[in-house]
Amino acid sequence: MNFDKNTSGDIMLPVVESIGQGIDREAKLFFEKHKPPTDLIFDDGAEMESNRHRIAMTVLIRSLEQGFAHRNDFFVGGNMFIYYSVKQVRNQDFRGPDFFAVLGVDGTTSRQGWVVWDENGRYPDVIVELLSPSTAHEDKGKKKDIYEQVFKTPDYFVFDPFEPNSLQGWRLDASLRYQPLVPNERGWLWCETLGFWLGTWEGIVDRETATWARFFDESGNLVLLPEEAAQQQAETAQQQVEAAQKQVETAQQQVETAQQQAEKERQRGDRLAARLRELGDDPNTFNQ
């Protein structure tokens, strides 16, 4: 534990750092001492398991970018290599999570992959793997161990786009070991790092109907894709136009009603004046 001192040399209260800060500090020191390789491969030509897997990945990436549109201190990627050790490079043991997010970094920097030693020792804060029959064992076994013991990624989730009830998640505890996340009544899992729920949503994305893994805010509202947000804004604008038109129509009806009432009153006055004349009275005398 570190301690701060004031200007007089007195020892002050201990400086307590978070788990994530401690991990980042240790990783940065390691890569400062060990010179990593620079001739890295960023594309092995491997494709995703299916078109649905591809859509599921882009849904997570684009929705988080939309949900974090007000900030630029994060990076989100998918199906791209993460380099974290010299041994890994030598063995060509490529690691490319289907979805990952890193917070507290420059989000404006263009990256071909995530190279830990170029990122001050930073590892992903959140990872989602999209399961398939050929990858499920490794995603919930070897990869999970790496994300826990090497990456020390705080939040890890898995989901099979073809199995709606397959969502699982883990979070690092104080001992840096994964503990299963308990779903809420909707079956959603809370991602503390992002401040969002990760749950399932059934609907059409890119012309494919399926149950997708989607983010939801703390109140349970769906974190929209950019096109969904644009559609919502267009619908809201249209509703505002329709509401304004209704107000104009209501005002016109009120004017017409007032005019009709005034006409009725005029006609009533004319009938009354005519009746008075029939009785031999001058109606104008009643106005004096």
Side-chain angles (χ1 to χ4, degrees), residues 84-110:
Y84 60 94
S85 76
V86 175
K87 180 179 178 181
Q88 171 210 11
V89 176
R90 288 174 182 159
N91 295 338
Q92 294 190 346
D93 184 17
F94 304 125
R95 295 289 160 190
D98 294 316
F99 167 91
F100 70 93
V102 190
L103 306 186
V105 297
D106 183 2
T108 63
T109 300
S110 178

Side-chain angles (χ1 to χ4, degrees), residues 169-187:
W170 299 265
R171 179 167 176 80
L172 287 181
D173 62 13
S175 300
L176 299 181
R177 295 300 179 191
Y178 276 146
Q179 298 301 326
L181 291 170
V182 179
N184 67 1
E185 66 280 0
R186 297 181 179 180

Side-chain angles (χ1 to χ4, degrees), residues 127-163:
I127 290 177
V128 180
E129 291 287 7
L130 300 172
L131 305 177
S132 69
S134 64
T135 66
H137 180 73
E138 183 174 5
D139 288 339
K140 293 193 285 186
K142 182 178 180 180
K143 280 190 174 182
K144 179 170 170 284
D145 290 342
I146 291 175
Y147 298 155
E148 175 193 55
Q149 299 168 21
V150 181
F151 287 20
K152 295 180 173 58
T153 294
D155 292 296
Y156 177 49
F157 304 90
V158 296
F159 177 71
D160 186 339
F162 289 93
E163 295 291 340

Side-chain angles (χ1 to χ4, degrees), residues 154-213:
D155 292 296
Y156 177 49
F157 304 90
V158 296
F159 177 71
D160 186 339
F162 289 93
E163 295 291 340
N165 297 318
S166 62
L167 181 63
Q168 293 178 269
W170 299 265
R171 179 167 176 80
L172 287 181
D173 62 13
S175 300
L176 299 181
R177 295 300 179 191
Y178 276 146
Q179 298 301 326
L181 291 170
V182 179
N184 67 1
E185 66 280 0
R186 297 181 179 180
W188 299 354
L189 303 174
W190 178 247
C191 181
E192 185 173 333
T193 302
L194 299 179
F196 288 144
W197 292 97
L198 182 61
T200 55
W201 174 86
E202 185 175 353
I204 302 174
V205 181
D206 290 352
R207 298 178 295 178
E208 182 156 353
T209 301
T211 298
W212 308 99

